[in-house]
Amino acid sequence: MDWVSEKSKYKIPYTAVNGNHDDRAAENPSGADADGICWWTNGFWGGMMWLMHHETGQDKYKEIANISEDYLDRCFEEFYGLHHDVGFMWLPTSVANYKVTKNPVSRKRALHAANLLAGRFNLAGGFIRAWNDLDEGDTRGWAIIDCMFNIPLLYWATEETGDPRFKQTAMKHADTAMSAFVRPDGSVHHIVEFDPFHGGVVRTYGGQGYEEGSSWTRGQTWALYGFMMSYIHTGKEEYLQTAKRIAHYFMANIPEDGVIPVDFRQPLEPKREDDTAAAIAACGLIEIAKAVGTYEKDVYLNAALKLLKTLDARSDWTQASDSIIQRGTESYHNRRHHLPIIYGDYYFMEAVFKLKGNDLYLW
């Protein structure tokens, strides 16, 4: 991170092309095309800088994080590219900045993002709407498991302002996710469609996994760690128990070699992998280990360590690549597989710092 932070100082990376970080800040499409500055992963680079600043005390990381956060103001101006993922974007940037420095501008940005997220809540269905209008048809009733990582922005907003509406909205969404997304065996759906006018589940979709009813691994980790986030902010026991149920399903399906597939129910061939799911799962498992009793915590901690050791052995620690984690996959049916993706690096770093015991919790 010492050298790559300087190299990518004025970028917001998403992946690496020929070993070099790309730059989402340089791409600024207009309207609803959100592949540029409004891309959902654009908070992770800033989050990595805040983790490094916390760990090392070096101001250069804070300066790079500030550059990244300033870039994101363009999203507020464009507006149309924003959707449910504002938590992913402003928790690791503005909320992190405010936690560390008490910067009032960062507080304002984060509260603005929280209000945008709360405004997506569907009262009839008890969920936060995913995305905006898509080519797939009527998506007004769609919610996705990924949003469990966005609602901590609402918990923070209540903690910061004292206004209970944000937390109430977050908990309503989490409660809906518990009943509608999590299956009895601990696996989860990626997309659930609700009736946006009257509530109730209409159908489920396979989303970024192999097919409807399958088990997209990164979706399992959004749920595993996401319910722990809700437990951390609320203390609601059901969230902890739900996270544990999902964790046991995930741990039971970790292959012998520790390499996580894109979908636990995908065909044996082609063998498609997603190292980012392993990194996110490790973070969630470590948080569960912190929350359970002495004789239980090693079950989760040992699984996290297996995943992290496997990632370490598969990573690129040289200057041949700007990325550490090399084999991420966006979705099973995407044309691209086994590429560096920025959140793989972020969650790998977060997990390692958790193990050290003095981490900066950004969620």
Side-chain angles (χ1 to χ4, degrees), residues 136-150:
E136 284 83 346
D138 185 353
T139 59
R140 289 174 293 176
W142 282 24
I144 59 175
I145 195 62
D146 319 38
C147 204
M148 292 302 297
F149 273 56
N150 289 299

Side-chain angles (χ1 to χ4, degrees), residues 186-341:
S187 66
V188 300
H189 300 289
H190 179 201
I191 303 170
V192 175
E193 179 182 351
F194 299 89
D195 183 325
F197 300 100
H198 305 101
V201 173
V202 175
R203 61 163 294 187
T204 62
Y205 298 83
Q208 289 172 250
Y210 175 63
E211 63 182 2
E212 197 284 322
S214 65
S215 181
W216 177 48
T217 55
R218 197 163 73 251
Q220 313 305 304
T221 68
W222 294 143
L224 190 163
Y225 191 8
F227 278 105
M228 278 308 297
M229 293 173 180
S230 283
Y231 173 71
I232 289 167
H233 285 283
T234 68
K236 185 172 179 176
E237 184 69 17
E238 282 180 277
Y239 297 153
L240 173 61
Q241 296 305 321
T242 300
K244 288 171 65 176
R245 180 151 55 98
I246 298 164
H248 281 273
Y249 169 83
F250 192 96
M251 291 187 296
N253 283 279
I254 297 175
E256 277 299 310
D257 62 5
V259 177
I260 301 302
V262 176
D263 194 306
F264 282 135
R265 297 170 186 169
Q266 70 186 34
L268 294 177
E269 296 294 339
K271 187 179 180 183
R272 293 179 177 167
E273 303 163 352
D274 186 8
D275 282 352
T276 71
I280 301 162
C283 289
L285 291 167
I286 295 168
E287 288 298 333
I288 294 176
K290 293 179 184 178
V292 299
T294 302
Y295 302 112
E296 192 180 356
K297 66 180 182 180
D298 283 349
V299 172
Y300 305 99
L301 189 58
N302 289 339
L305 288 170
K306 178 176 181 176
L307 294 171
L308 293 171
K309 289 176 180 178
T310 302
L311 289 176
D312 178 22
R314 289 161 58 84
S315 297
D316 190 332
W317 296 100
T318 73
Q319 294 195 21
S321 177
D322 292 350
S323 301
I324 300 168
I325 304 300
Q326 297 296 309
R327 296 176 69 82
T329 293
E330 295 161 317
S331 65
Y332 184 88
H333 294 289
N334 195 290
R335 60 181 176 82
R336 301 191 298 178
H337 301 94
H338 307 155
L339 67 155
I341 306 177

Side-chain angles (χ1 to χ4, degrees), residues 4 8 10 21 26 62 104 116 184 198 200-201 204 216 233 282:
V4 80
S8 298
Y10 297 104
H21 277 153
K62 178 171 67 175
L116 291 173
H198 305 101
V201 173
T204 62
W216 177 48
H233 285 283

Side-chain angles (χ1 to χ4, degrees), residues 19-181:
N20 298 301
H21 277 153
D22 67 351
D23 184 15
R24 292 284 160 151
E27 306 166 20
N28 190 24
S30 59
D33 184 358
D35 286 342
I37 192 59
C38 296
W39 187 239
W40 73 275
T41 67
N42 284 356
F44 287 112
W45 179 246
M48 289 163 65
M49 296 302 107
W50 284 115
L51 293 180
M52 291 301 299
H53 172 69
H54 179 77
E55 178 66 20
T56 69
Q58 294 183 34
D59 283 340
K60 76 168 186 174
Y61 295 115
K62 178 171 67 175
E63 293 165 6
I64 298 170
N66 285 332
I67 293 170
S68 208
E69 184 181 349
D70 289 345
Y71 283 158
L72 292 180
D73 281 348
R74 282 158 47 197
C75 299
F76 290 139
E77 296 166 8
E78 290 193 5
F79 177 68
Y80 287 116
L82 295 176
H83 44 68
H84 64 278
D85 280 328
V86 294
F88 274 123
M89 297 170 74
W90 277 280
L91 278 163
T93 54
S94 293
V95 173
N97 192 342
Y98 182 66
K99 283 182 177 180
V100 175
T101 71
K102 295 301 178 185
N103 181 346
V105 177
S106 295
R107 180 182 186 272
K108 180 171 68 174
R109 287 164 167 157
L111 288 174
H112 185 34
N115 275 281
L116 291 173
L117 183 60
R120 302 184 66 86
F121 184 72
N122 181 293
L123 188 62
F127 66 91
I128 291 172
R129 180 187 172 178
W131 300 305
N132 299 318
D133 293 338
L134 301 174
D135 293 338
E136 284 83 346
D138 185 353
T139 59
R140 289 174 293 176
W142 282 24
I144 59 175
I145 195 62
D146 319 38
C147 204
M148 292 302 297
F149 273 56
N150 289 299
I151 61 175
L153 180 63
L154 301 179
Y155 293 129
W156 169 82
T158 284
E159 292 158 10
E160 180 59 30
T161 66
D163 189 329
R165 294 175 301 161
F166 298 104
K167 181 178 180 180
Q168 290 165 354
T169 300
M171 293 184 72
K172 285 290 186 183
H173 180 87
D175 291 348
T176 299
M178 270 198 305
S179 62
F181 281 84

